[in-house]
């Protein structure tokens, strides 16, 4: 892929202020609305970066190629096996998915991307006309530029879609380097290869057909269908927000928090992970396009915004849990320089990312703090606080502001907010172009959404719509409840006497590569349309666990080894918000086990679908097992949940259902 050049990964060269302050990576919509010059430079800089000669080491093409295809060495890190030799093993790229190095490996990778993008931004800024101070304005803005993130778990601004138009639009308006405002091809929407295979065989035949990256490609034409993403993200937003909040506030062990590899000793409360949530976004935004396949996902511009948000969530969690970091684990595979069986730890080299000296690779220990690469996030401005306790309190308030203070407040913000729209849709029978498909409208009739919608609407008075910023900076965040009565809405307080209630989750585990392709397990509570094309939009769709599997012929060496070893991965779908929906709808009395167990026994269902949309028999998914567990939670005066971390598993709910956990099964 490149010649033997040691490329130092530095991130953006940064000298922190006297108090330790560094520039911030900002949320995409915040950057667009509140920092328009930097957003303009971002678009122009990304266009320039994507246009670099694909043979250059720091080109967009080659940086993206580190993540998978074309499976060639990068930056002087050689391969030790030739895949063209039948029966060869060992060569396999730099994959760290489903391993202890998952989130730490991606940090220097993102720093490389930001480093290259920053160079393009600086070059673009210096092309603006000097006249009128235009160049000076953009040069000043360029100095503080950092690559933005897309926070897919926060509530979108009122009146906007869950998937920003800046990502879905084919063209975008900018002030170009000639000083004129014009529409250009949107580099956030797609990357156009030039050419697709700069070296013969860089891509497989399946991916060589696409001249540009695509999302939800039409099966016949291959055309991208970005309009499908927003309603899918919106429909499962409650589950996504609850999952992120659960990870940030409940998980205390780095290994459990960070990656999705399952083992027989996994605690029922540790089936989820940041990698699991990360997989869901690849699934929800890719739709069998580039983002859905780890081998080519990094070519989609969305990949970088997504992974920077993953990096942000790790930063937030790490600063809340500074004493928890990775435990040494045996390497289950061989890469370019690591051999199977070697111990992986905080000191394991993160190939192929050379440090500043180019004598050694970065390690997880060295990249534990984001300031190593010259950036922080709105929530991690620790220099603003006089003590660790004050800083961590501010972080928790940020989590509250962005993802809701607790499941009851989240229910009002998410489910109660969308049910009136579904009621209107069901009553009129009209198709909503921006919310759900006609098939999903039919599913509303099956699901009983009309009844739930009307009752939710009666119980909760909808707040007056206000103009709001896309995100809330950390210094402005306050743990304000969704209703004025306190941390739990008045009409739901009876469900949590003394602030205590039972929280419910669905746990899923399965062989990662057992089907030789990616698949999803979708969880429902109630009736739904049997047509799998509608499942993403179902009113009674609770959430999903996405499994990013690969075929036995993949060039990914780790994936081949994981497949041979029957690697099992796990994920969690929060269930309590959906149960609240049924309580408000009059179908359930409380969150207590004596009420919930029979309700779930009757109404909890799940289906398996391939990423191409086809239904798959759950019984044919190797090691698939679905279980239900609960734990006790106490909500404090600030509205923050405190999880007991003692989980009870209920085989009586899932026994006898397809791949359901039974009393004799290992959890």
């Amino acid at each position: 892929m490149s010649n033997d050049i040691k490329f130092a990964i530095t991130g953006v060269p940064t000298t922190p202020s006297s108090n330790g302050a560094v520039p911030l990576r900002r949320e995409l919509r915040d950057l667009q609305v509140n920092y328009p010059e930097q957003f303009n430079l971002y678009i122009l800089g990304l266009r320039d970066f994507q246009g670099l000669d694909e043979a250059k080491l720091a080109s967009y093409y080659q940086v993206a190629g580190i993540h998978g295809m074309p499976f060639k060495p990068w930056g002087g890190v050689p391969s030790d096996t030739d895949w063209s030799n039948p029966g060869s093993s060992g060569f396999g790229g730099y994959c760290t998915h489903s391993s202890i190095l998952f989130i730490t490996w991606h940090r220097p990778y993102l720093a490389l991307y930001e480093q290259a993008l920053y160079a393009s931004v600086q070059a673009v800024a210096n092309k603006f006309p000097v006249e009128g101070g235009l160049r000076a304005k953009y040069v000043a803005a360029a100095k503080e530029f950092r690559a933005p993130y897309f926070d897919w778990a926060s509530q979108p601004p009122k009146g906007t879609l869950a998937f920003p138009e800046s990502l879905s639009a084919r063209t975008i308006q900018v002030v170009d380097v000639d000083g004129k405002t014009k529409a250009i091809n949107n580099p956030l929407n797609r990357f156009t290869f030039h050419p697709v295979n700069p070296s013969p065989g860089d891509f497989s035949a399946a991916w060589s057909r696409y001249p540009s990256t695509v999302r939800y490609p039409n099966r016949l034409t291959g055309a991208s269908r970005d309009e499908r993403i927003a309603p899918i993200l919106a429909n499962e937003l409650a589950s996504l927000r609850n999952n992120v909040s659960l990870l940030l506030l409940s998980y205390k062990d780095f290994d459990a928090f960070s990656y999705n590899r399952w083992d027989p000793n996994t605690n029922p409360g540790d089936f989820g992970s940041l990698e699991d949530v990360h997989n869901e976004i690849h699934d929800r935004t890719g739709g069998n396009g580039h983002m859905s396949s780890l081998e080519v996902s990094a070519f989609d511009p969305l990949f970088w915004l997504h992974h920077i948000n993953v990096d942000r969530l790790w930063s937030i969690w790490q600063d809340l849990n500074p004493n928890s970091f990775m435990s040494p684990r045996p390497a289950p595979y061989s890469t370019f320089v690591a051999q199977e069986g070697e111990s992986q730890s905080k000191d394991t080299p993160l190939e192929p990312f050379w440090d500043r000296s180019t004598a050694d690779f970065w390690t997880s220990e060295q990249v534990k703090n984001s300031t190593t690469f010259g950036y922080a996030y709105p929530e991690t401005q620790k220099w603003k606080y006089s003590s660790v306790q004050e800083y961590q309190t501010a972080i928790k308030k940020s989590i509250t502001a962005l993802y809701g203070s607790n499941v009851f407040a989240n229910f009002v913000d998410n489910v109660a907010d969308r049910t009136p729209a579904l009621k209107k849709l069901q009553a009129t029978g009209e198709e909503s172009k921006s919310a759900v498909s006609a098939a999903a409208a039919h599913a509303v009739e099956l699901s009983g959404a009309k009844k739930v919608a009307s009752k939710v609407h009666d119980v909760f008075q909808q707040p007056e719509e206000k103009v709001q910023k896309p995100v809330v900076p950390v210094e402005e965040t306050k743990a304000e409840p969704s209703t004025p009565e306190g941390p739990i809405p008045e009409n739901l307080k009876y469900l949590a006497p003394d602030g205590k209630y039972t929280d419910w989750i669905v746990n899923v585990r399965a062989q990662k590569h057992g089907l030789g392709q990616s698949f999803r397990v979708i969880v429902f509570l109630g009736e739904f349309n049997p047509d799998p094309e509608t499942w993403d939009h179902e009113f009674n769709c609770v959430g999903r666990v996405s499994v990013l599997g690969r075929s036995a012929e993949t060039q990914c060496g780790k994936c081949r080894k994981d497949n041979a070893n029957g690697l099992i991965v796990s994920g969690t779908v929060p269930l309590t918000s959906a149960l609240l929906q049924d309580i408000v709808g009059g179908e359930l009395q409380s969150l207590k086990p004596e009420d919930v167990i029979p309700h779930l026994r009757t109404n909890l269902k799940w289906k398996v679908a391939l990423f191409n949309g086809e239904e798959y028999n759950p019984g044919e998914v190797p090691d698939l097992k679905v279980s239900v567990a609960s734990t006790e939670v106490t909500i404090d005066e600030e509205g923050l949940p405190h999880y007991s971390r003692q989980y009870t598993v209920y085989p009586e709910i899932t026994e006898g259902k397809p791949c359901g956990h039974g009393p004799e099964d290992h959890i």
Side-chain angles (χ1 to χ4, degrees):
M1 188 171 180
S2 62
N3 50 19
D4 189 7
I5 300 174
K6 292 185 176 182
F7 191 97
I9 312 302
T10 62
V12 178
T14 305
T15 301
S17 301
S18 58
N19 66 350
V22 294
L24 302 183
R25 287 178 173 174
R26 301 187 181 277
E27 211 277 338
L28 176 67
R29 291 158 291 193
D30 179 34
L31 190 74
Q32 184 174 13
V33 173
N34 301 315
Y35 303 88
E37 287 82 16
Q38 286 192 7
F39 181 79
N40 194 72
L41 286 170
Y42 173 45
I43 300 300
L44 297 179
L46 185 58
R47 179 181 65 173
D48 179 83
F49 182 25
Q50 291 180 357
L52 295 178
D53 184 343
E54 293 180 344
K56 291 185 176 180
L57 186 64
S59 67
Y60 184 93
Y61 179 84
Q62 292 225 15
V63 171
I66 293 171
H67 200 260
M69 289 184 185
F71 289 103
K72 295 180 180 179
W74 186 90
V77 183
S79 63
D80 56 9
T81 304
D82 183 358
W83 270 108
S84 63
N85 180 16
S88 63
S89 61
F91 181 100
Y94 309 104
C95 173
T96 60
H97 298 93
S98 301
S99 88
I100 194 65
L101 303 178
F102 166 65
I103 55 177
T104 58
W105 181 90
H106 281 83
R107 178 160 284 175
Y109 187 34
L110 296 171
L112 167 61
Y113 165 82
E114 188 170 52
Q115 181 178 337
L117 175 60
Y118 183 84
S120 284
V121 165
Q122 304 309 305
V124 165
N126 280 284
K127 292 180 180 179
F128 279 90
V130 175
E131 294 78 11
L134 203 57
R135 179 180 297 178
K137 180 175 72 171
Y138 279 105
V139 166
K143 290 180 180 178
E144 294 294 301
F145 174 82
R146 295 295 184 273
Y149 59 92
F150 167 40
D151 185 3
W152 23 255
S154 64
Q155 284 278 15
K158 293 291 184 181
T160 67
L161 298 176
F163 193 63
E165 187 178 358
S166 59
L167 297 173
S168 62
R170 300 286 292 176
T171 61
I172 192 167
Q173 188 165 291
V174 296
V175 177
D176 211 343
V177 292
D178 58 5
K180 297 178 180 179
T181 300
K182 63 184 71 169
I184 64 171
N185 288 330
N186 185 3
L188 287 177
N189 177 254
R190 62 198 178 279
F191 168 62
T192 300
F193 299 94
H194 49 96
V196 175
N197 287 305
S199 299
D202 273 8
F203 289 98
S204 65
W207 294 110
S208 294
R209 65 177 291 213
Y210 298 109
S212 301
T213 55
V214 292
R215 303 163 190 160
Y216 286 86
N218 182 289
R219 294 186 185 184
L220 297 178
T221 67
S224 193
R225 296 180 294 172
D226 292 65
E227 67 278 1
R228 298 195 61 178
I229 301 174
I232 292 171
L233 287 177
N235 195 49
E236 298 177 47
L237 184 60
S239 173
L240 191 57
R241 294 185 78 200
N242 290 336
N243 224 342
V244 168
S245 180
L246 180 71
L247 284 167
L248 295 178
L249 298 176
S250 171
Y251 283 56
K252 303 300 179 183
D253 177 74
F254 177 88
D255 295 4
F257 166 81
S258 63
Y259 73 113
N260 67 351
R261 189 184 191 94
W262 177 88
D263 69 56
N265 297 316
T266 300
N267 184 289
D270 293 335
F271 269 57
S273 65
L274 185 56
E275 184 173 14
D276 170 42
V277 175
H278 146 275
N279 291 350
E280 292 181 29
I281 301 304
H282 273 282
D283 176 13
R284 290 173 181 167
T285 60
N288 216 34
H290 287 76
M291 269 294 284
S292 298
S293 172
L294 295 179
E295 294 183 331
V296 294
S297 58
F299 291 97
D300 188 325
L302 176 59
F303 171 93
W304 305 99
L305 291 134
H306 166 44
H307 267 276
I308 291 174
N309 193 46
V310 171
D311 183 83
R312 164 181 162 267
L313 294 175
W314 169 33
S315 292
I316 291 172
W317 184 91
Q318 193 68 71
D319 283 358
L320 287 175
N321 303 275
N323 296 321
S324 180
F325 203 42
M326 61 176 60
S327 305
R329 300 290 177 105
Y333 58 92
S334 297
T335 60
F336 286 158
V337 297
Q339 297 301 311
E340 178 185 351
E342 293 179 357
S343 178
Q344 288 184 331
S345 70
K346 60 185 177 63
D347 299 316
T348 297
L350 301 176
E351 309 95 356
F353 307 121
W354 297 103
D355 65 13
R356 293 184 177 91
S357 71
T358 67
D360 297 294
F361 296 107
W362 286 104
T363 68
S364 299
E365 177 67 22
Q366 292 172 326
V367 304
K368 185 178 179 182
N369 296 312
S370 70
T371 52
T372 298
F373 292 118
Y375 69 89
Y377 294 101
E379 300 84 5
T380 61
Q381 301 178 68
K382 63 182 68 178
W383 57 85
K384 289 180 172 285
Y385 304 95
S386 58
S387 69
V388 172
Q389 182 178 359
E390 183 184 359
Y391 172 50
Q392 291 182 340
T393 298
I395 291 178
K396 291 177 180 177
K397 287 184 176 180
S398 263
I399 295 171
T400 296
L402 291 170
Y403 309 118
S405 57
N406 58 72
V407 69
F408 299 100
N410 286 356
F411 172 71
V412 177
D413 290 342
N414 295 308
V415 180
D417 185 57
R418 73 185 178 95
T419 45
L422 286 171
K423 175 186 175 184
K424 179 180 179 182
L425 175 65
Q426 194 275 340
T428 61
E430 295 178 353
E431 179 179 3
S432 170
K433 294 181 180 179
S434 62
V436 291
S437 67
H442 172 64
V444 173
E445 179 69 37
L446 295 175
S447 68
K450 180 179 180 182
K451 178 171 65 175
V452 176
S454 61
K455 291 193 176 185
V456 170
H457 189 63
D458 291 340
V459 172
F460 303 106
Q461 185 177 3
Q462 297 301 306
E464 197 174 309
E465 187 169 312
K466 298 178 181 179
V467 177
Q468 65 179 55
K469 292 183 179 180
V471 294
V472 185
V474 68
E475 59 269 20
E476 298 177 16
T477 58
K478 297 179 181 179
E480 297 179 356
S482 301
T483 59
E485 297 86 1
I488 302 177
E490 187 67 33
N491 289 298
L492 296 178
K493 283 184 177 179
Y494 76 97
L495 296 171
D498 300 321
K500 298 180 179 180
Y501 72 97
T502 304
D503 192 63
W504 298 82
I505 58 174
V506 174
N507 284 331
V508 177
R509 63 174 170 89
Q511 274 196 37
K512 181 173 182 178
H513 304 291
L515 299 187
Q517 59 184 307
S518 296
F519 62 96
R520 62 182 73 99
V521 180
I522 304 180
V523 177
F524 302 93
L525 189 58
E527 298 301 321
F528 57 93
N529 193 318
D531 181 0
E533 286 292 324
T534 72
W535 291 350
D536 286 332
H537 305 96
E538 288 288 330
F539 180 80
N540 283 333
C541 173
V542 179
R544 72 181 68 193
V545 172
S546 302
V547 181
L548 304 183
R550 303 195 197 186
S551 71
E553 291 73 37
T554 178
Q555 285 184 263
C556 173
K558 176 186 183 304
C559 303
R560 286 190 172 211
K561 193 68 178 181
D562 287 344
N563 188 13
N565 291 337
L567 169 69
I568 296 176
V569 295
S570 64
T572 291
V573 176
L575 197 54
T576 307
S577 185
L579 292 172
L580 290 175
Q581 178 177 297
D582 286 356
I583 289 172
V584 172
E587 300 173 13
L588 179 64
Q589 295 302 309
S590 76
L591 293 173
K592 297 177 181 178
E594 56 264 34
D595 291 324
V596 173
I597 291 173
H599 185 71
L600 292 181
R601 178 66 193 170
T602 301
N603 296 288
L604 182 66
K605 304 174 178 68
W606 53 86
K607 288 285 188 179
V608 175
L610 305 177
F611 275 21
N612 64 10
E614 296 177 1
E615 183 176 1
Y616 198 88
N617 182 1
E620 296 180 3
V621 179
D623 290 316
L624 175 62
K625 193 64 65 177
V626 180
S627 59
V628 174
S630 74
T631 189
E632 298 305 308
V633 180
T634 301
I635 298 175
D636 65 22
E637 293 181 355
E638 296 293 323
L640 290 173
H642 299 268
Y643 296 83
S644 72
R645 298 290 298 165
Q646 300 298 315
Y647 280 83
T648 301
V649 180
Y650 301 91
E652 61 267 41
I653 293 175
T654 50
E655 182 182 14
K657 297 185 178 185
C659 300
H661 173 257
E664 303 301 320
D665 293 331
H666 194 292
I667 184 61

